[in-house]
C-alpha cells in the first residue's frame, strides 16, 4: 500500500467530509436509540430492514484489505485466483444451511451473541465459553489486521509516507470508529456500513471502465501473460494443476464454512427485522462476489501484465499501482481514484467496526455478565460494553503501532479461517442434528483446534506453503473434529440409555 | 433446502473447479482463458440457484403464516 497515489487538497477535503459524516451518523443513531439495553445497542432491537441489512452484510464481508490482498494474490498466481469468486459465493450457500433456523430461534429466544445459541442448544457452559474465547481471539486478530491496513493506507496516501503518518492514521481512524460505534452501537455501525457499502459499489463499478480506458482491452493483458507463460514457463494463464485444484476445493470449504461463522455475521442474522428481509438480503449477497471479485481479478491481471516485478509481499501493492496509473491518466480518473480510496478506507473501517462491536458484545454478555458475579443491570452492562470498546481499541491501536514492521504477525491472521471452521460442527451441524451432545462437540472442537494449530505452526516437511497436499490445516483438522462430535454424541446417547 | 439442492450444489462444485479442462487449451473468450470463463459461468449459476432457493419462504415462515 506504500505506492498509493498521494492526495491533493480537494481530495483531502472529500475524505475529511466523509469521515466527519460518519460521526454525524453516530450521533443520529444515538438519537434513534429506543432503550438503554444490550439488545438495542448490539442488535438495534432486531429492526434491520432490507437495504441496511444488505449493505451492512456487504460492507462487513468485503474489507478494503480484501481488495489489496485479492489483487495481490492475482498478481502472484494469475487467473487461478478466480477461485475467490467461488469461495465468496460459498459463504452465502452455507448460510442456506443454518441461517433460516438460527434466525427463527434468535427471534423466539432473544439471542444476542453467538454463544447464546450454543448455551440454548447444548446447555454446556464450558463449550459456550470456549467458543466465545475462540471467536474473541479471531476477531481481535481480524480487527488488528484492519487497523494495520488503515495505517498503511494512511502512510501510502500522505506525502511524507513515514511512521508518523502510519501511527496518526491508525489513531485517527480508530478514534472516529470507536466514537460512532459507542455513540450509536450496531445502529450507527449498520448505517455507516450502508454509506460505506454504497461508496464501495460506486467506486468499484466505475473503476473497471477506467482500467479498460487506461490499459486497453483485457485480451491484450491476457495475451501478454500467455506469451510470458510460454517463454518463462510461468502458469499465470494455464488452468490449475491437480494440487491447485485441491487447494480450490479447500478454499471453498474453509472460507464457506469459516467466514459464514464470523460472529458479526451471525449477529446480523439475529438483527434482521424478519425472515423475508434476511432472505432478500442474502439473495442479493449471493450475486455480490461476481462484480467485486472480478474487478479485483482484472486489476491484478492488468498490474501483472503492465507492471511486472513486484515480488512477495510487495505484490499486495499492485492495486495501489493501478490506482496511481489511472489517477495520472485523466481528470475523471483522478476524481474516481479519490472516491475509490474513500471506498477503501470505508471498507476497512466498516469491517473493523463490526468486528470490534462483536468482540465487545461477547466480552460483556458471555464473560462479564455470566462470570462477573453480581446481578448487573442492562444499563450497567451497556456502559461496560462501551468501556470495553474503548479499552479494546486502545489496546489494539497500541499493538498495531508496535507491530507495524512485524508482518509475520499479520500472517498469523491467515489462521483465523482454520480456527473458525472448527466451530462449524457446533453451529451448522448442531442446528440441524438433534443427536449432537455438548460434551462430544467440545471434545471434537478441542481436538480440531489443536490439530489445526499444530499443523499450521509445527514446521513439518509435509506442510508446503501452509497447506497439506493442497488442503488448509483447518479443513484437515475439521475431519477428526466432526468424527469425535458425531461418534461421541452417539456413544453418550447409548451410554445414557444403558444407565437408564 | 430440499434433498435435490445439495446434489445441485455438488454438481456445481465439481464443474466450478476446472480439473476437467485440457491443460494446453489457449482459447480466449471475452479476453479471458476459456477455463476462467467456465468457472465464472458456474459461479453465476450457483449465485442464481442460491437466490432462487432464497425466493421461497422458509419452513418457520410458512408455519407462522398458517398459525396466523
Amino acid at each position: 500500500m506504500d505506492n498509493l497515489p498521494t492526495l491533493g487538497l480537494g481530495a483531502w477535503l472529500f475524505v475529511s467530509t466523509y469521515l466527519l459524516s460518519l460521526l454525524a451518523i453516530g450521533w443520529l443513531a444515538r438519537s434513534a436509540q429506543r432503550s438503554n439495553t444490550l439488545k438495542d445497542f448490539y442488535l438495534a432491537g432486531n429492526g434491520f430492514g432490507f437495504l441496511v441489512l444488505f449493505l451492512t452484510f456487504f460492507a462487513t464481508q468485503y474489507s478494503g484489505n480484501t481488495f489489496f490482498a485479492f489483487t495481490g494474490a492475482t498478481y502472484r498466481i494469475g487467473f487461478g485466483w478466480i477461485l475467490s469468486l467461488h469461495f465468496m459465493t460459498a459463504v452465502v450457500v452455507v448460510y442456506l444451511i443454518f441461517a433460516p433456523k438460527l434466525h427463527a430461534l434468535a427471534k423466539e429466544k432473544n439471542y444476542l451473541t453467538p454463544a447464546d445459541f450454543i448455551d440454548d442448544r447444548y446447555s454446556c457452559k464450558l463449550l459456550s465459553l470456549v467458543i466465545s474465547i475462540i471467536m474473541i481471539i479471531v476477531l481481535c486478530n481480524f480487527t488488528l489486521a484492519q487497523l494495520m491496513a488503515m495505517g498503511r493506507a494512511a502512510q501510502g496516501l500522505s506525502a511524507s509516507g513515514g511512521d508518523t503518518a502510519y501511527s496518526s492514521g491508525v489513531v485517527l481512524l480508530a478514534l472516529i470508529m470507536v466514537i460512532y460505534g459507542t455513540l450509536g452501537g450496531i445502529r450507527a455501525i449498520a448505517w455507516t456500513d450502508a454509506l460505506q457499502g454504497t461508496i464501495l459499489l460506486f467506486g468499484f463499478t466505475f473503476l473497471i471502465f477506467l482500467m479498460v480506458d487506461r490499459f486497453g482491452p483485457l485480451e491484450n493483458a491476457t495475451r501478454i501473460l500467455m506469451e510470458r507463460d510460454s517463454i518463462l514457463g510461468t502458469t499465470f494463464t494455464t488452468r490449475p494443476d491437480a494440487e491447485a485444484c485441491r487447494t480450490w476445493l479447500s478454499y471453498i470449504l474453509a472460507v464457506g464454512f469459516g467466514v459464514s461463522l464470523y460472529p458479526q455475521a451471525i449477529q446480523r442474522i439475529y438483527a434482521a427485522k424478519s425472515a423475508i428481509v434476511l432472505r432478500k438480503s442474502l439473495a442479493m449477497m449471493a450475486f455480490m462476489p461476481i462484480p467485486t471479485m472480478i474487478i479485483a481479478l482484472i486489476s491484478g491481471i492488468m498490474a501483472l501484465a503492465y507492471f511486472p516485478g513486484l515480488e512477495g509481499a510487495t505484490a499486495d501493492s499492485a492495486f495501489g499501482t493501478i490506482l496511481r496509473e489511472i489517477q495520472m491518466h485523466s481528470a475523471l480518473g483522478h476524481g474516481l481514484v479519490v472516491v475509490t480510496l474513500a471506498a477503501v478506507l470505508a471498507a476497512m473501517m466498516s469491517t473493523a467496526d463490526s468486528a470490534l462491536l462483536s468482540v465487545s458484545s461477547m466480552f460483556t454478555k458471555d464473560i462479564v455478565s455470566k462470570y462477573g458475579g453480581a446481578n448487573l443491570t442492562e444499563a450497567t452492562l451497556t456502559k461496560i460494553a462501551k468501556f470495553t470498546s474503548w479499552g479494546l481499541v486502545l489496546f489494539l491501536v497500541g499493538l498495531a503501532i508496535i507491530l507495524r514492521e512485524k508482518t509475520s504477525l499479520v500472517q498469523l491472521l491467515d489462521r483465523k479461517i482454520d480456527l473458525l471452521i472448527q466451530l462449524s460442527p457446533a453451529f451448522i451441524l448442531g442446528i440441524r442434528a438433534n443427536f449432537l451432545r455438548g460434551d462430544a462437540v467440545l471434545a471434537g472442537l478441542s481436538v480440531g483446534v489443536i490439530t489445526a494449530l499444530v499443523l499450521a505452526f509445527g514446521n513439518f516437511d509435509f506442510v508446503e506453503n501452509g497447506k497439506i497436499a493442497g488442503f488448509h490445516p483447518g479443513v484437515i483438522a475439521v475431519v477428526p473434529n466432526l468424527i469425535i462430535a458425531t461418534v461421541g454424541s452417539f456413544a453418550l446417547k447409548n451410554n445414557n440409555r444403558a444407565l437408564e | 433446502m430440499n434433498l435435490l439442492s445439495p446434489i445441485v450444489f455438488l454438481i456445481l462444485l465439481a464443474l466450478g473447479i476446472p480439473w476437467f479442462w485440457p491443460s494446453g487449451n489457449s482459447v480466449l473468450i471475452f479476453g479471458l482463458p476459456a477455463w476462467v470463463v467456465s468457472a465464472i459461468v458456474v459461479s453465476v449459476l450457483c449465485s442464481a440457484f442460491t437466490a432462487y432457493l432464497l425466493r421461497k419462504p422458509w419452513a418457520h415462515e410458512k408455519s407462522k403464516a398458517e398459525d396466523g
Side-chain angles (χ1 to χ4, degrees), chain A residues 111-173:
Chain A
Y111 295 159
L112 183 72
T113 64
D116 284 346
F117 162 71
I118 299 295
D119 267 341
D120 184 38
R121 167 66 182 79
Y122 300 101
S123 305
C124 179
K125 263 190 155 185
L126 187 58
L127 177 65
S128 63
L129 179 67
V130 169
I131 286 182
S132 293
I133 291 172
I134 290 175
M135 285 182 155
I136 288 173
I137 291 170
V138 164
L139 283 191
C140 281
N141 272 340
F142 190 48
T143 313
L144 177 65
Q146 299 301 322
L147 289 176
M148 291 175 85
M150 286 180 205
R152 294 216 172 107
Q155 202 175 12
L157 292 173
S158 78
S160 65
D163 286 350
T164 317
Y166 172 92
S167 308
S168 323
V170 173
V171 172
L172 181 74
L173 296 173

Coordinates of all heavy atoms in Angstrom, one line a residue, chain A residues 111-173:
Chain A
Y111 N -31.7 -14.2 21.3 CA -30.3 -14.3 21.3 C -29.6 -13.0 21.1 O -30.1 -12.1 20.3 CB -29.8 -15.3 20.2 CG -30.2 -16.7 20.3 CD1 -30.2 -17.5 19.2 CD2 -30.6 -17.2 21.5 CE1 -30.6 -18.8 19.2 CE2 -31.0 -18.6 21.6 CZ -31.0 -19.4 20.4 OH -31.4 -20.7 20.5
L112 N -28.5 -12.8 21.7 CA -27.7 -11.6 21.4 C -26.3 -11.9 20.8 O -25.9 -11.2 19.9 CB -27.5 -10.8 22.8 CG -26.8 -9.5 22.7 CD1 -27.7 -8.4 22.1 CD2 -26.4 -9.0 24.1
T113 N -25.7 -12.9 21.4 CA -24.3 -13.3 20.9 C -24.4 -14.7 20.3 O -25.3 -15.5 20.7 CB -23.3 -13.2 22.0 OG1 -23.7 -14.3 23.0 CG2 -23.2 -11.9 22.7
P114 N -23.4 -15.1 19.5 CA -23.4 -16.5 19.0 C -23.4 -17.5 20.1 O -24.1 -18.6 20.0 CB -22.0 -16.6 18.3 CG -21.7 -15.2 17.9 CD -22.3 -14.3 19.0
A115 N -22.8 -17.2 21.3 CA -22.8 -18.2 22.4 C -24.2 -18.4 23.0 O -24.4 -19.4 23.6 CB -21.8 -17.7 23.5
D116 N -25.1 -17.5 22.8 CA -26.5 -17.7 23.3 C -27.1 -18.9 22.7 O -27.8 -19.6 23.3 CB -27.3 -16.4 23.0 CG -27.0 -15.3 23.9 OD1 -26.3 -15.5 25.0 OD2 -27.4 -14.1 23.7
F117 N -26.8 -19.1 21.4 CA -27.4 -20.3 20.7 C -26.7 -21.5 21.3 O -27.4 -22.5 21.5 CB -27.1 -20.2 19.2 CG -27.2 -21.5 18.5 CD1 -28.5 -22.1 18.3 CD2 -26.1 -22.2 18.0 CE1 -28.6 -23.4 17.7 CE2 -26.2 -23.4 17.5 CZ -27.5 -24.0 17.3
I118 N -25.4 -21.5 21.5 CA -24.7 -22.6 22.0 C -25.2 -23.0 23.4 O -25.5 -24.2 23.7 CB -23.2 -22.4 22.0 CG1 -22.6 -22.1 20.6 CG2 -22.4 -23.5 22.7 CD1 -22.7 -23.2 19.6
D119 N -25.4 -22.0 24.2 CA -26.0 -22.2 25.6 C -27.3 -22.9 25.5 O -27.6 -23.9 26.2 CB -26.2 -20.9 26.3 CG -25.0 -20.5 27.1 OD1 -24.2 -21.4 27.4 OD2 -24.9 -19.3 27.4
D120 N -28.2 -22.4 24.6 CA -29.5 -22.8 24.5 C -29.6 -24.3 23.9 O -30.3 -25.1 24.3 CB -30.3 -21.8 23.5 CG -31.7 -22.2 23.4 OD1 -32.3 -22.6 24.4 OD2 -32.3 -22.1 22.2
R121 N -28.7 -24.5 22.9 CA -28.7 -25.8 22.2 C -28.1 -26.9 23.0 O -28.6 -28.0 23.0 CB -28.0 -25.6 20.8 CG -27.6 -26.9 20.1 CD -28.8 -27.6 19.6 NE -28.5 -28.8 18.9 CZ -28.1 -30.0 19.5 NH1 -28.1 -30.0 20.8 NH2 -27.9 -31.0 18.7
Y122 N -27.0 -26.6 23.7 CA -26.2 -27.7 24.3 C -26.3 -27.7 25.9 O -25.9 -28.7 26.5 CB -24.8 -27.7 23.9 CG -24.6 -27.9 22.4 CD1 -24.3 -26.8 21.6 CD2 -24.6 -29.1 21.8 CE1 -24.1 -26.9 20.2 CE2 -24.4 -29.3 20.4 CZ -24.2 -28.1 19.7 OH -24.0 -28.3 18.3
S123 N -26.7 -26.6 26.5 CA -26.6 -26.4 27.9 C -25.3 -26.8 28.5 O -25.2 -27.6 29.5 CB -27.7 -27.2 28.6 OG -29.0 -26.9 28.1
C124 N -24.2 -26.4 27.8 CA -22.8 -26.8 28.3 C -22.0 -25.5 28.4 O -21.6 -24.9 27.4 CB -22.2 -27.7 27.2 SG -20.5 -28.2 27.6
K125 N -21.9 -25.0 29.6 CA -21.3 -23.7 29.9 C -19.8 -23.6 29.3 O -19.4 -22.6 28.8 CB -21.2 -23.5 31.4 CG -22.4 -22.6 31.9 CD -22.1 -22.2 33.3 CE -22.9 -20.9 33.7 NZ -22.6 -20.5 35.0
L126 N -19.1 -24.7 29.5 CA -17.7 -24.7 29.1 C -17.6 -24.6 27.6 O -16.7 -23.8 27.1 CB -17.0 -26.0 29.6 CG -15.5 -26.0 29.3 CD1 -14.8 -24.9 30.0 CD2 -14.9 -27.4 29.8
L127 N -18.5 -25.3 26.9 CA -18.5 -25.2 25.4 C -18.7 -23.8 24.9 O -18.0 -23.2 24.1 CB -19.5 -26.1 24.8 CG -19.7 -26.1 23.3 CD1 -18.4 -26.6 22.6 CD2 -20.8 -26.9 22.8
S128 N -19.7 -23.1 25.5 CA -20.0 -21.7 25.1 C -18.9 -20.8 25.5 O -18.6 -19.9 24.7 CB -21.4 -21.3 25.6 OG -21.4 -21.2 27.0
L129 N -18.2 -21.0 26.6 CA -17.1 -20.2 27.0 C -16.0 -20.3 26.0 O -15.4 -19.4 25.5 CB -16.7 -20.5 28.4 CG -15.5 -19.7 28.9 CD1 -15.9 -18.2 29.1 CD2 -15.0 -20.2 30.3
V130 N -15.7 -21.6 25.7 CA -14.5 -21.9 24.7 C -14.8 -21.2 23.4 O -14.0 -20.6 22.8 CB -14.3 -23.4 24.6 CG1 -13.4 -23.7 23.4 CG2 -13.7 -24.0 25.9
I131 N -16.1 -21.4 22.9 CA -16.5 -20.8 21.6 C -16.3 -19.3 21.6 O -15.8 -18.7 20.7 CB -17.9 -21.3 21.2 CG1 -17.8 -22.8 20.7 CG2 -18.5 -20.4 20.1 CD1 -19.0 -23.4 20.3
S132 N -16.8 -18.7 22.7 CA -16.7 -17.2 22.8 C -15.2 -16.8 22.8 O -14.9 -15.8 22.1 CB -17.3 -16.7 24.1 OG -18.7 -16.9 24.1
I133 N -14.4 -17.5 23.5 CA -12.9 -17.1 23.6 C -12.3 -17.3 22.2 O -11.6 -16.4 21.7 CB -12.2 -18.0 24.6 CG1 -12.7 -17.6 26.0 CG2 -10.7 -17.8 24.5 CD1 -12.2 -18.4 27.2
I134 N -12.6 -18.4 21.5 CA -12.1 -18.6 20.1 C -12.5 -17.4 19.2 O -11.7 -16.8 18.5 CB -12.5 -19.9 19.5 CG1 -11.8 -21.1 20.3 CG2 -12.2 -20.0 18.0 CD1 -12.3 -22.5 19.8
M135 N -13.8 -17.1 19.3 CA -14.3 -16.0 18.5 C -13.7 -14.7 18.8 O -13.4 -13.9 17.9 CB -15.8 -15.9 18.6 CG -16.6 -17.0 17.9 SD -18.3 -16.9 18.0 CE -18.8 -17.8 16.5
I136 N -13.5 -14.4 20.1 CA -12.9 -13.1 20.5 C -11.4 -13.1 20.0 O -11.0 -12.0 19.4 CB -12.9 -13.0 22.1 CG1 -14.4 -12.7 22.5 CG2 -12.0 -11.8 22.5 CD1 -14.6 -12.6 24.0
I137 N -10.7 -14.2 20.1 CA -9.3 -14.2 19.6 C -9.3 -13.9 18.1 O -8.5 -13.1 17.6 CB -8.6 -15.5 20.0 CG1 -8.4 -15.6 21.5 CG2 -7.3 -15.7 19.3 CD1 -7.9 -17.0 22.0
V138 N -10.1 -14.6 17.4 CA -10.1 -14.5 15.9 C -10.5 -13.0 15.5 O -9.8 -12.4 14.7 CB -11.2 -15.5 15.3 CG1 -11.5 -15.1 13.9 CG2 -10.7 -16.9 15.3
L139 N -11.5 -12.5 16.2 CA -11.9 -11.1 15.9 C -10.9 -10.0 16.3 O -10.7 -9.0 15.6 CB -13.3 -10.8 16.5 CG -14.4 -11.4 15.7 CD1 -15.7 -10.8 16.2 CD2 -14.4 -11.2 14.2
C140 N -10.2 -10.3 17.4 CA -9.1 -9.3 17.8 C -8.0 -9.3 16.7 O -7.5 -8.2 16.3 CB -8.5 -9.7 19.2 SG -9.6 -9.2 20.5
N141 N -7.6 -10.5 16.3 CA -6.6 -10.6 15.2 C -7.1 -9.9 13.9 O -6.4 -9.1 13.3 CB -6.4 -12.1 14.8 CG -5.3 -12.7 15.7 OD1 -4.5 -11.9 16.2 ND2 -5.3 -14.0 15.8
F142 N -8.4 -10.1 13.7 CA -9.0 -9.5 12.5 C -9.0 -8.0 12.5 O -8.7 -7.3 11.6 CB -10.4 -10.1 12.4 CG -11.2 -9.9 11.1 CD1 -10.6 -10.1 9.9 CD2 -12.5 -9.4 11.2 CE1 -11.3 -9.9 8.7 CE2 -13.2 -9.2 10.0 CZ -12.6 -9.4 8.8
T143 N -9.4 -7.5 13.7 CA -9.5 -6.0 13.9 C -8.1 -5.4 13.8 O -7.9 -4.4 13.2 CB -10.1 -5.7 15.2 OG1 -11.3 -6.5 15.4 CG2 -10.5 -4.2 15.3
L144 N -7.1 -6.1 14.4 CA -5.8 -5.7 14.4 C -5.3 -5.5 12.9 O -4.6 -4.5 12.5 CB -4.9 -6.6 15.2 CG -3.4 -6.3 15.2 CD1 -3.1 -5.0 15.9 CD2 -2.6 -7.5 15.8
A145 N -5.6 -6.5 12.1 CA -5.2 -6.5 10.7 C -5.8 -5.3 10.0 O -5.1 -4.6 9.2 CB -5.6 -7.8 10.0
Q146 N -7.1 -5.0 10.3 CA -7.7 -3.9 9.6 C -7.1 -2.6 10.1 O -6.9 -1.7 9.3 CB -9.2 -3.9 9.9 CG -10.0 -5.1 9.4 CD -9.9 -5.3 8.0 OE1 -9.9 -4.4 7.2 NE2 -9.8 -6.6 7.5
L147 N -6.8 -2.5 11.4 CA -6.1 -1.3 11.9 C -4.8 -1.0 11.2 O -4.4 0.1 10.8 CB -6.0 -1.3 13.4 CG -7.2 -1.2 14.3 CD1 -6.9 -1.4 15.7 CD2 -7.9 0.1 14.1
M148 N -4.0 -2.1 11.1 CA -2.7 -2.0 10.4 C -2.9 -1.6 9.0 O -2.1 -0.8 8.5 CB -1.9 -3.4 10.6 CG -1.5 -3.6 12.0 SD -0.7 -5.2 12.3 CE 0.9 -4.8 11.8
A149 N -3.9 -2.2 8.3 CA -4.2 -1.8 6.9 C -4.5 -0.4 6.8 O -4.1 0.3 5.9 CB -5.3 -2.7 6.4
M150 N -5.3 0.1 7.8 CA -5.7 1.6 7.8 C -4.4 2.4 7.9 O -4.3 3.4 7.2 CB -6.6 1.9 9.0 CG -8.0 1.4 8.9 SD -8.8 1.9 10.4 CE -10.1 0.7 10.4
G151 N -3.5 2.0 8.8 CA -2.3 2.8 9.0 C -1.4 2.8 7.7 O -0.9 3.8 7.3
R152 N -1.4 1.6 7.0 CA -0.6 1.5 5.8 C -1.2 2.4 4.7 O -0.5 3.0 3.9 CB -0.5 0.1 5.4 CG 0.3 -0.7 6.4 CD 1.2 -1.8 5.7 NE 2.1 -2.3 6.8 CZ 1.9 -3.6 7.3 NH1 1.0 -4.3 6.8 NH2 2.7 -4.0 8.2
A153 N -2.6 2.4 4.7 CA -3.3 3.2 3.7 C -2.9 4.7 3.9 O -2.6 5.4 3.0 CB -4.8 3.0 3.7
A154 N -3.0 5.1 5.2 CA -2.7 6.5 5.6 C -1.3 6.8 5.2 O -1.0 7.9 4.7 CB -2.9 6.7 7.1
Q155 N -0.4 5.9 5.4 CA 1.1 6.0 5.1 C 1.2 6.2 3.6 O 1.9 7.1 3.1 CB 1.8 4.8 5.6 CG 3.3 4.9 5.8 CD 3.9 3.6 6.3 OE1 3.2 2.6 6.4 NE2 5.1 3.7 6.8
G156 N 0.5 5.4 2.8 CA 0.6 5.5 1.4 C 0.0 6.8 0.8 O 0.5 7.3 -0.2
L157 N -1.0 7.3 1.5 CA -1.7 8.5 1.0 C -1.0 9.8 1.3 O -1.1 10.8 0.6 CB -3.1 8.6 1.6 CG -4.1 7.5 1.1 CD1 -5.4 7.6 1.9 CD2 -4.4 7.7 -0.4
S158 N -0.2 9.8 2.5 CA 0.4 11.0 2.9 C 1.7 11.3 2.0 O 2.3 10.4 1.5 CB 0.8 10.9 4.3 OG 2.0 10.2 4.5
A159 N 2.0 12.6 2.0 CA 3.1 13.0 1.1 C 4.4 12.5 1.7 O 5.3 12.0 1.1 CB 3.2 14.5 1.0
S160 N 4.5 12.5 3.1 CA 5.7 12.0 3.8 C 5.9 10.5 3.7 O 7.0 10.0 3.5 CB 5.7 12.5 5.2 OG 4.7 11.9 5.9
G161 N 4.7 9.8 4.0 CA 4.8 8.3 3.9 C 5.5 7.7 5.0 O 5.9 6.5 5.0
G162 N 5.8 8.4 6.1 CA 6.6 7.9 7.2 C 5.8 7.2 8.3 O 4.6 7.0 8.2
D163 N 6.6 6.9 9.4 CA 6.0 6.2 10.5 C 4.9 7.0 11.2 O 3.9 6.5 11.7 CB 7.0 5.8 11.5 CG 7.9 4.6 11.0 OD1 7.5 4.0 10.0 OD2 8.9 4.3 11.6
T164 N 5.1 8.4 11.2 CA 4.2 9.3 11.9 C 2.8 9.2 11.1 O 1.8 9.2 11.8 CB 4.7 10.7 11.8 OG1 6.1 10.7 12.1 CG2 3.9 11.6 12.8
A165 N 2.9 9.1 9.8 CA 1.6 9.0 9.0 C 0.9 7.7 9.4 O -0.3 7.7 9.5 CB 1.9 9.1 7.5
Y166 N 1.7 6.7 9.5 CA 1.1 5.4 9.8 C 0.4 5.4 11.2 O -0.8 5.1 11.3 CB 2.2 4.3 9.9 CG 1.7 2.9 10.4 CD1 1.3 2.0 9.5 CD2 1.8 2.6 11.8 CE1 0.9 0.7 10.0 CE2 1.3 1.4 12.2 CZ 0.9 0.4 11.3 OH 0.5 -0.8 11.8
S167 N 1.1 5.9 12.2 CA 0.6 6.0 13.6 C -0.6 6.9 13.6 O -1.7 6.6 14.2 CB 1.6 6.4 14.6 OG 2.8 5.7 14.4
S168 N -0.5 8.1 13.0 CA -1.6 9.1 13.0 C -2.8 8.5 12.4 O -4.0 8.7 12.8 CB -1.3 10.4 12.3 OG 0.1 10.7 12.5
G169 N -2.6 7.8 11.2 CA -3.7 7.2 10.5 C -4.5 6.2 11.4 O -5.7 6.2 11.5
V170 N -3.7 5.3 12.0 CA -4.3 4.3 12.9 C -5.1 4.9 14.0 O -6.3 4.6 14.2 CB -3.2 3.3 13.5 CG1 -3.8 2.4 14.5 CG2 -2.5 2.5 12.4
V171 N -4.5 5.9 14.7 CA -5.1 6.6 15.8 C -6.4 7.3 15.4 O -7.5 7.1 16.0 CB -4.1 7.5 16.6 CG1 -4.8 8.4 17.6 CG2 -3.0 6.7 17.2
L172 N -6.3 8.1 14.4 CA -7.4 9.0 13.9 C -8.6 8.1 13.5 O -9.7 8.3 13.9 CB -6.9 9.9 12.8 CG -8.0 10.9 12.3 CD1 -8.3 11.9 13.3 CD2 -7.7 11.5 11.0
L173 N -8.3 7.2 12.6 CA -9.4 6.3 12.0 C -10.0 5.5 13.1 O -11.3 5.3 13.1 CB -8.9 5.5 10.9 CG -8.4 6.3 9.6 CD1 -7.8 5.4 8.6 CD2 -9.6 7.1 9.0

